[in-house]
Amino acid sequence: MKTLSCFRSFEKDISQDHIGEMTIRFQKTFALHRALKIAHANKEQGIPVLRVFSYLFALAFRNHSLYRAVQFDESEGGFGKDVCHRFLKSPTTDWQLFLNVLSCRVMRWLSALTSDERKETFIIDDTSYKRNRARRVELIARQYDHCLHEYYLGFRCLCLAWSDGNTTIPVDYALLSSEKQRGALEASRLDRRSRKFRVRSEAVMKATTVVLRLLKRAVKAGFKTQYVMFDSWFTCPSLLSELTKLGLKTIGMVKQGEKMLYSFNGQLVPIKTIYAQNCKRRGRSKYLLSVETTLCKKGTKNEESLSIPVKLVFVRNTEAKARKAKNYFVLLSTDTTLSEEEIIQLYQRRWSIEVFFQVCKTYLRFAKES
C-alpha cells in the first residue's frame, strides 16, 4: 500500500514537460535504441521506432488512453493510431528479449549502488490476463482465478522478476494457455524456427517447464543470482531438482500434502508427520520448528531418488482464524547453510511481485490496453 500511495502522489505532481525530460534521460541512460535493435524492432521506412516507443512509453505516466491521446489534442507524436497498432503487433519484434536486455542493464546500474553482501534473488509468480470479451484470440482458454475463486477467459501471465530487497524489476514473462490447446497449435502452419512458433509452443507447456526456460534465458542474459523464490504452486520435487542442476538455490513455500516425502529417522514420511514428531519452540518466536532433512525427487518411495538436502522452517500463521486452528506455513530452502531468520527474511521479498502486479493493472492498464 505504501508503494501505491507513493506512485499516486508521483503521478499527480508530474508535468508534461517533466515526462518528456524523464523519457529522454531514461533512453540515453539505458540505450533503448540499441535494446530495440537487438529485439529486431526495425523499420525500413517511415517514423523511427524509438519515436513511437517513446510516445507509448510516456502515455503510461499521463493517465491517458491511446485512443484519447491520438484522437484529441494530446496527439503530439505526429502520427495516427494505425502506426501505434502496427508497431505493437509487429511479429518480428521480440518483446521478451527486449525486456530481458533492458532489465539486465537496469540491474547492473542498481548493483553499482548497493553493497556486494546483499543477496539478489529471482521471484516467480503468475497473474490473471483476462480477455473475457475475446472469442477469436488464438490459443485462448478458460482459466481459474484462485484469488476470486471464479473462471475467466484468457491466459496466465507467468512473470520472472529480480529483486535486491528494495527494488523489483521484471525480467521475463510468458502467456500460458492450456495443454488442451496443443492440438490447435499443431494444426497451425508455422515455421518452427520463427519466434511465433516459440511463443505459441510455450503457451501450451507446463508452467514448471516454462519456468526453467525463463531462468535459462535470464542466466544467459547476464543475471548472476543465487536464489529463486516462489509460492507453493511451483514447489515440486522435479523443479527443485532441475534448479539444483542449474546451480540455483530455492526458497519456497511447501504444500502440506501426502505426495512430497522426506527422509526422517530412516523413514519416508510427509511433512505433517515431521511436524507431529518434533518438539516445538516455546514462546512467541518467529518460527515454530526447524528441521534439516532430505527431499524425495519423484515423490515416490524410492531410496535412490533421495538426493536433495533441504531445510524446513515451520512458521506460525498470525491470522486470527489460523491461530485458533493452530495452522502454520512451511518454508523450504535448498541452502541448508542459511539461518531460519535469513530464510524468512528472504521469502518476504516474494510479496514485492504481488505489488508489481497490482501497480501494472491499476496504473499501467495491463491486459486492458498495454
Side-chain angles (χ1 to χ4, degrees):
M1 297 303 294
K2 184 178 180 181
T3 305
L4 293 178
S5 61
C6 294
F7 194 95
R8 189 180 295 110
S9 62
F10 171 77
E11 186 184 27
K12 291 181 180 179
D13 297 338
I14 200 166
S15 61
Q16 300 290 339
D17 297 336
H18 193 46
I19 291 175
E21 295 176 1
M22 289 178 56
T23 304
I24 295 174
R25 192 184 322 123
F26 186 80
Q27 292 175 4
K28 293 181 179 180
T29 303
F30 300 106
L32 289 188
H33 62 286
R34 296 181 182 177
L36 290 170
K37 187 175 182 180
I38 294 175
H40 310 291
N42 302 319
K43 290 187 66 176
E44 297 180 358
Q45 59 182 358
I47 300 173
V49 172
L50 184 59
R51 182 178 172 185
V52 181
F53 178 84
S54 302
Y55 178 73
L56 296 174
F57 178 79
L59 283 181
F61 300 96
R62 294 176 180 174
N63 198 20
H64 289 163
S65 64
L66 177 61
Y67 173 79
R68 179 182 175 184
V70 174
Q71 293 295 328
F72 297 98
D73 55 348
E74 299 295 331
S75 180
E76 58 187 27
F79 46 83
K81 63 178 181 179
D82 294 338
V83 176
C84 299
H85 289 302
R86 283 196 299 267
F87 172 74
L88 294 174
K89 296 180 181 179
S90 176
T92 59
T93 305
D94 192 346
W95 291 111
Q96 292 174 319
L97 179 60
F98 171 78
L99 181 61
N100 214 317
V101 173
L102 179 60
S103 59
C104 186
R105 294 177 180 178
V106 177
M107 181 270 298
R108 292 173 180 173
W109 184 78
L110 290 173
S111 298
L113 305 177
T114 58
S115 174
D116 296 335
E117 299 179 357
R118 182 179 293 273
K119 294 182 174 62
E120 301 175 353
T121 58
F122 280 134
I123 307 174
I124 298 173
D125 202 359
D126 60 346
T127 185
S128 59
Y129 189 91
K130 298 182 180 180
R131 305 284 292 177
N132 289 319
R133 296 184 178 181
R135 292 296 181 271
R136 298 182 180 180
V137 178
E138 188 176 3
L139 299 181
I140 196 169
R142 192 164 176 257
Q143 308 286 349
Y144 183 74
D145 193 338
H146 294 275
C147 296
L148 300 178
H149 302 286
E150 62 182 15
Y151 286 93
Y152 67 92
L153 197 63
F155 303 90
R156 293 167 53 203
C157 182
L158 182 65
C159 181
L160 172 66
W162 172 90
S163 175
D164 62 350
N166 293 325
T167 308
T168 301
I169 304 173
V171 177
D172 206 342
Y173 71 97
L175 290 180
L176 303 182
S177 178
S178 175
E179 295 185 15
K180 297 180 180 179
Q181 301 289 337
R182 187 177 296 275
L185 174 65
E186 295 176 353
S188 60
R189 298 179 180 179
L190 295 175
D191 187 0
R192 294 181 176 271
R193 298 170 297 177
S194 63
R195 176 183 172 270
K196 294 186 291 184
F197 181 81
R198 177 176 64 83
V199 173
R200 286 162 175 78
S201 61
E202 283 185 352
V204 296
M205 291 180 182
K206 291 184 178 180
T208 54
T209 305
V210 181
V211 165
L212 292 175
R213 294 169 68 97
L214 298 182
L215 288 171
K216 289 179 180 179
R217 289 204 294 259
V219 172
K220 184 178 179 181
F223 285 89
K224 297 180 181 179
T225 306
Q226 297 180 352
Y227 298 95
V228 182
M229 294 184 297
F230 36 71
D231 56 7
S232 59
W233 296 105
F234 300 96
T235 307
C236 59
S238 58
L239 181 59
L240 296 179
S241 176
E242 294 296 331
L243 293 178
T244 304
K245 294 178 182 179
L246 293 176
L248 296 174
K249 301 173 184 178
T250 306
I251 299 177
M253 188 176 293
V254 183
K255 293 182 179 180
Q256 302 176 22
E258 302 290 335
K259 293 184 178 180
M260 295 181 64
L261 302 178
Y262 304 86
S263 176
F264 185 74
N265 292 335
Q267 297 180 352
L268 295 180
V269 295
I271 201 165
K272 291 184 179 180
T273 305
I274 297 177
Y275 182 78
Q277 294 181 358
N278 284 273
C279 182
K280 318 309 179 292
R281 290 170 59 92
R282 295 183 178 181
R284 301 175 62 88
S285 60
K286 292 185 178 180
Y287 63 96
L288 297 171
L289 179 65
S290 177
V291 178
E292 292 189 13
T293 180
T294 309
L295 173 65
C296 179
K297 283 185 183 179
K298 301 179 181 179
T300 59
K301 296 183 179 181
N302 184 5
E303 295 291 344
E304 297 180 356
S305 62
L306 295 173
S307 59
I308 307 179
V310 297
K311 175 181 283 189
L312 300 177
V313 180
F314 296 78
V315 183
R316 182 183 288 106
N317 195 342
T318 58
E319 296 181 2
K321 295 181 180 179
R323 281 202 307 268
K324 294 180 181 180
K326 297 182 180 180
N327 287 345
Y328 52 88
F329 297 119
V330 184
L331 301 181
L332 180 146
S333 174
T334 56
D335 187 3
T336 57
T337 59
L338 291 176
S339 63
E340 291 78 7
E341 289 77 9
E342 288 178 329
I343 294 175
I344 298 173
Q345 184 179 7
L346 286 175
Y347 187 76
Q348 288 177 350
R349 297 185 185 180
R350 200 200 67 82
W351 184 250
S352 61
I353 197 172
E354 302 288 352
V355 179
F356 166 73
F357 288 149
Q358 188 173 3
V359 170
C360 289
K361 292 181 178 181
T362 305
Y363 298 100
L364 304 182
R365 295 183 291 274
F366 177 71
K368 294 181 180 179
E369 180 177 327
S370 59

